[in-house]
């Protein structure tokens, strides 16, 4: 049963980036603010979680509450830490699920120091979330 569940979840996660790329506006550039997060028990799965860069023009969310939550996540990433952003996201998990404003890329483990030095986490985000032939900036907050 766990094997079937992991296949279904893997399929959904692999299909999500394709849908995300279609939803992004075709502007002069896109950007993502990201952090490394971790789900709790029972699997303790690691993710690179991203929101659209709030410093770039974005289409307005229909719900003012989701706008406030995304602004709060943005401030956490730029002034505090990825761990703070993860706590904020989990505190508003129902709203996050409802708005689908946080993209999660499943990774095997927290990136090693050499991986950060080579820019591997940023490369992964660019390959999954950034549209082709469009300038795309990625900022990932380490813990």
């Amino acid at each position: 049963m766990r094997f079937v569940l992991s296949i279904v979840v893997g399929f959904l996660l692999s299909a999500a980036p394709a849908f995300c790329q279609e939803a992004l506006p075709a502007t002069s550039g896109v950007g993502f603010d990201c952090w490394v997060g971790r789900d709790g028990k029972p699997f303790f799965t690691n993710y690179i979680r991203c929101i659209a860069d709030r410093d770039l023009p974005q289409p307005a969310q229909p719900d003012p509450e989701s706008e406030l939550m995304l602004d709060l996540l943005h401030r956490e990433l730029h002034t505090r830490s990825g761990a703070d952003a993860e706590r904020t996201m989990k505190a508003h998990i129902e709203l996050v699920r409802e708005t689908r404003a946080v993209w999660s890329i499943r990774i095997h483990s927290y990136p090693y120091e050499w991986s950060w030095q080579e820019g591997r986490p940023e490369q992964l985000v660019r390959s999954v979330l950034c549209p082709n032939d469009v300038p795309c900036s990625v900022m990932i907050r380490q813990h």
Side-chain angles (χ1 to χ4, degrees):
M1 178 68 181
R2 185 180 283 180
F3 177 73
V4 172
L5 180 62
S6 66
I7 289 175
V8 170
V9 170
F11 174 75
L12 291 174
L13 289 175
S14 66
F19 296 126
C20 294
Q21 287 181 356
E22 292 175 17
L24 292 174
T27 62
S28 61
V30 295
F32 295 96
D33 289 339
C34 308
W35 69 96
V36 177
R38 186 176 194 193
D39 280 348
K41 294 179 183 178
F43 301 115
F44 296 102
T45 306
N46 292 281
Y47 294 93
I48 297 177
R49 302 191 197 274
C50 299
I51 61 171
D53 186 349
R54 307 287 289 172
D55 293 330
L56 298 174
Q58 298 294 322
Q61 294 286 331
D63 180 19
E65 189 177 350
S66 63
E67 281 289 323
L68 291 173
M69 185 267 306
L70 290 171
D71 285 339
L72 180 60
L73 277 174
H74 182 257
R75 275 184 271 133
E76 294 284 342
L77 288 170
H78 285 273
T79 61
R80 299 187 76 191
S81 70
D84 292 322
E86 183 73 3
R87 278 191 291 278
T88 299
M89 188 206 73
K90 287 181 178 177
H92 298 93
I93 194 67
E94 291 303 318
L95 187 58
V96 167
R97 288 180 181 148
E98 187 177 303
T99 61
R100 296 183 205 138
V102 177
W103 292 281
S104 295
I105 303 168
R106 185 177 181 171
I107 55 176
H108 180 68
S109 64
Y110 188 85
Y112 295 107
E113 188 59 36
W114 62 265
S115 179
W116 288 110
Q117 292 169 356
E118 292 180 3
R120 299 285 179 145
E122 291 90 352
Q123 290 173 358
L124 177 62
V125 171
R126 280 191 185 90
S127 68
V128 173
L129 296 180
C130 294
N132 292 334
D133 303 324
V134 175
C136 184
S137 62
V138 175
M139 186 276 301
I140 301 180
R141 173 68 81 175
Q142 293 184 26
H143 284 295

